[in-house]
Structure formats: structure tokens, C-alpha cells
Amino acid sequence: MPTTTSHSPRCATPRRRAAALVAALLLPALTATPALADEKKDDKGRPPAQPPARMSTVGGELLGKPGTQVRLGPGAPALPKELTGRSWLVADAESGEVLAAHNAHWQLPPASTLKMLFADTVLPKFPKNRQYKVKPADLAGMGEGSSLVGVKEDQTYSVRDLWLGVFLRSGNDAVRVLASMNGGIPQTVKDMQAHAEALQAKDTHVVSPDGYDAEGQVSSAYDLTLFARSGLQKADFREYCATAYAKFPGEMKKDGKRDTFDIMNTNRLLTGANGMTAYKGMAGVKNGSTTNAGNTFTGVAQHDGRKLLVTVMNPENREANEVYKETARLLDWGFEAAGHVKPVGHLVPPPGVADRTGPSGVPGTADSSQASVAGSGGGMWTAVGITLASLVAVAVAGFAVHRRWPLPDRSRRQG
């Protein structure tokens, strides 16, 4: 697909890269505001086709306005033209600066991207080597057509196995088992909602921990980006969401042997599957798709020491890979635009934790240092190591916001 960025798109073919280099750029208006429509849901319970006139202003006044928000400076590339997502956001993952956004606080069904909140809430509670035997009740109540990794009752799995099932295959069965370990679905929903509120993710209402369509279950591009940023502070979260392929346990045989089967991450910008090309520097985070939500995706990528988060929700273009293509275009734009745009807002830290304020006046911009990176032979970007020296943190009441955290190698490694 063509792109309007002025540098080579990181998931394009050489021919497309060459075409992109000579593409002419035009500066768009700083803010585009569409006509507003009735905010009532349609007869199928889906959200309206247009955003509400007033949305949350968490993170900045501009983020509460409908339409595209961007403040282009000298040398800034134009935003990509081919963006059809109902809502999207581009942010610096470390400083929290929001470089551009479109209907950032529009409350929409999140699909399985809500599993980022589930993981950020529940993952710290259980050691990865803990073993758990699945009970029949653990798998009860899953929605029709749920994505599954293949968890079987009366079989034993490690917590690590289950998290790989959540992140790679978006397995609602693995979610149900982990939720059972956490005290059940109602308790887990309660915990997730409390954690969302602690993160100031005020657009989010949790009904089901797996993101399956449920009446009243909503989030926003802004909130999903907050969940990703919070989760990426955790080494296990980074590992799981960056794993492209893994072995998952099968059923125990009568002779005591247990086979495994291969599972592949459904993030097509990570694996390059289903007609997509893997995006250089991609290291997670989570994709999703349901009837009401359409396709949703939050991705994190690193290039030349800069880490960007992009969330895209429900593209109007229904092509199978559209959510990934629009994410890739926004990542291309963000890497090119960084330093040439003024932030339109910021990703807020949790209550009681204050990012430092930089020259732009946006929290989190004072420390521009990045984790060390090196290019592998395959052209991938990887953090040098996970050490105390590579982490800069601000801690309050046990919560740490790491200003520098290494992303795992986006290699096709086995989990």
C-alpha cells in the first residue's frame, strides 16, 4: 500500500520504499473535525458511526476533541492519507508524548486488546513456573466462536504456558483458567476495573476479562495505549508479547508422555503472516477482532533507540490486514515526525506518580535518553540487556514507571 511518509516504510518492499522516497508531501490542516451524529447505539448494540461532541480530556484538552489532532512543525511529514480507523493514537512509549491522535477518547468495543489490561492486572500475581491442573468449571461460559489455544480440562499447565496462550493465540480458554486462579471471573473483572481506574483509564468499562463482546464493555485508543505502556514495564509482559512462536503442551498420554504443538502469534506485524511483512522493530503488543469491535490493534516498535506505541480501532476499510497496514503507516509517520511535531497531549502516569516535564511542557519529555540498541544481522533492533543500569524509574507507593525499558528481540524465537 502506498504511504505518505517521506522515508522508507519499514514493512514495505524495495519497490514501495523507492516510491515512498519520491512521494510529494502536503501539510494538512492541524485539526479536522467531522460532523457529529446521534450518540445512541444502533439496533445491534454497536456504537455510533461518529464520535460524541464531548469526550474525556485526560491527557490534554485536544485529546477530548473529535477528529484528527496534530501540530505539525517545520520539516514534519504529512499524516498518511489512507487512515480509516474510527480512533487511533501515536505516542512516544517512554516520554508519553502523544504525537497525533484521532478521536482518542472515543469509547468503543475493544475486542481482545482488552487482554492487555487483563495481563497487566493478573500477571504479577503468579510465578511463571507455578503448575495448575485445569478443572471443568474453569472453561465454562466462554462465548461462542471464542479464540482458543487448546487448553484441556484435567491437564496441568504452567502459568507461563497459559500466558503464552493468551498473548500468542489470544486464547479465551487460557484467560478463563488464569481468571479462575485469580478468584473467578467476577473478581477478575473487579480487579481489572480497579487497575484501569488507577491508571486513569476512565474510558474503560470491563465486563469480560477476555474482551469478548459484552453489553457496555468499552475502552478507547487512549486507554488501550495506557494499558500497553503499563504492561511493558514488566519483563514477563514484554517477553510474552514479543514471542512469535512457541510450543504449547498437548494432552498427557497414558504412557506418561506429553507431546507439544506449535502456536504462532496472531500479531501479523510481528510474524509477517497472512500476506503481511513483519515490521522492523516490532515487539508486540496485542490485536483483537470481534463483531462489534471490528479489528483493533496496539503495537510497540523500536527504531534508532526510539520506541513508539500506536493503537488503531475499527478501520472502516474491512480488508483483512487493514488494521496492521494503518498501524504500520502511523509508525512510519511517527518515527519520521518525532522532533518535528508538538505533542497534542500525553499519556498520564498513575495517580501519585509524576513524569518530569520537558521543554515542550508535556510531562515526561525531560529525559530523552533511550535504551541501548543494536541491529542484528536480520535488520532487527534489540535491547542490549535487562539490567538495573538500563532502567530509570520513578517509584511511588510501590508503582514504578520505567523511563527506559528494553524491548525484546523481535526474532522468530521459540517461546
Side-chain angles (χ1 to χ4, degrees):
M1 298 295 290
T3 179
T4 59
T5 55
S6 60
H7 70 294
S8 302
R10 294 171 178 79
C11 62
T13 63
R15 179 177 296 177
R16 288 175 179 170
R17 288 198 296 268
L21 286 171
V22 298
L25 300 177
L26 296 175
L27 294 179
L30 295 186
T31 302
T33 303
L36 302 177
D38 191 334
E39 299 173 19
K40 294 181 179 179
K41 295 180 179 180
D42 65 14
D43 57 1
K44 295 183 179 180
R46 294 174 298 197
Q50 297 291 343
R54 291 174 298 279
M55 294 178 283
S56 169
T57 57
V58 172
E61 291 291 331
L62 287 178
L63 298 181
K65 294 183 178 181
T68 301
Q69 312 300 327
V70 63
R71 302 168 68 191
L72 299 174
L79 282 166
K81 294 180 180 178
E82 297 174 318
L83 298 175
T84 69
R86 287 187 170 189
S87 177
W88 53 258
L89 183 144
V90 183
D92 185 295
E94 290 182 327
S95 73
E97 290 184 342
V98 177
L99 307 184
H102 180 76
N103 302 325
H105 282 290
W106 191 0
Q107 292 178 295
L108 297 167
S112 286
T113 47
L114 194 65
K115 289 183 172 79
M116 294 187 295
L117 174 61
F118 171 72
D120 194 39
T121 303
V122 178
L123 190 152
K125 298 186 178 185
F126 309 112
K128 64 170 62 178
N129 60 353
R130 176 175 169 179
Q131 302 290 312
Y132 181 80
K133 186 175 182 180
V134 178
K135 302 184 291 292
D138 296 339
L139 300 175
M142 284 187 293
E144 182 180 355
S146 286
S147 53
L148 306 172
V149 66
V151 174
K152 303 295 183 182
E153 61 185 55
D154 298 322
Q155 301 293 310
T156 300
Y157 301 87
S158 71
V159 166
R160 183 176 185 273
D161 291 333
L162 295 170
W163 282 120
L164 287 170
V166 171
F167 278 94
L168 272 67
R169 295 304 302 165
S170 203
N172 290 1
D173 46 358
V175 170
R176 292 275 165 160
V177 173
L178 287 162
S180 294
M181 294 174 64
N182 188 56
I185 297 297
Q187 181 62 50
T188 300
V189 167
K190 181 180 179 181
D191 291 348
M192 290 171 65
Q193 190 66 55
H195 188 50
E197 292 169 4
L199 294 174
Q200 301 187 60
K202 298 181 180 180
D203 301 323
T204 298
H205 179 64
V206 182
V207 178
S208 173
D210 51 26
Y212 192 86
D213 283 338
E215 181 66 28
Q217 181 154 273
V218 292
S219 190
S220 67
Y222 185 87
D223 284 9
L224 292 176
T225 310
L226 287 183
F227 303 150
R229 191 186 186 210
S230 180
L232 287 165
Q233 312 302 314
K234 302 170 178 63
D236 286 351
F237 187 106
R238 294 196 300 272
E239 174 197 343
Y240 297 141
C241 76
T243 300
Y245 303 96
K247 299 286 187 181
F248 196 81
E251 294 188 61
M252 186 71 71
K253 297 180 180 179
K254 293 182 179 179
D255 61 5
K257 295 182 179 180
R258 192 176 190 182
D259 293 331
T260 62
F261 56 91
D262 295 330
I263 58 175
M264 182 176 70
N265 202 310
T266 53
N267 175 355
R268 297 175 189 178
L269 289 183
L270 186 71
T271 63
N274 295 82
M276 288 299 299
T277 300
Y279 191 93
K280 186 172 70 175
M282 175 59 55
V285 177
K286 190 71 188 75
N287 58 303
S289 179
T290 64
T291 300
N292 290 350
N295 293 305
T296 63
F297 180 63
T298 297
V300 64
Q302 177 174 312
H303 182 68
D304 291 340
R306 185 180 295 276
K307 303 179 184 75
L308 294 183
L309 279 162
V310 169
T311 296
V312 176
M313 301 186 75
N314 200 353
E316 292 182 10
N317 185 331
R318 298 303 182 186
E319 184 180 343
N321 288 326
E322 186 65 21
V323 74
Y324 300 107
K325 292 179 179 179
E326 296 192 17
T327 298
R329 293 178 194 129
L330 286 168
L331 283 168
D332 283 345
W333 175 85
F335 285 121
E336 182 71 12
H340 300 286
V341 296
K342 293 183 178 181
V344 296
H346 64 277
L347 301 176
V348 295
V353 179
D355 285 338
R356 282 175 285 175
T357 300
S360 67
V362 175
T365 61
D367 183 1
S368 60
S369 58
Q370 307 290 333
S372 298
V373 294
S376 71
M380 302 170 186
W381 302 91
T382 177
V384 169
I386 302 176
T387 65
L388 290 176
S390 69
L391 298 176
V392 179
V394 180
V396 175
F399 192 100
V401 175
H402 296 310
R403 300 195 55 76
R404 295 172 62 190
W405 35 263
L407 291 179
D409 183 0
R410 185 205 55 86
S411 63
R412 297 168 183 252
R413 70 177 187 277
Q414 298 291 328

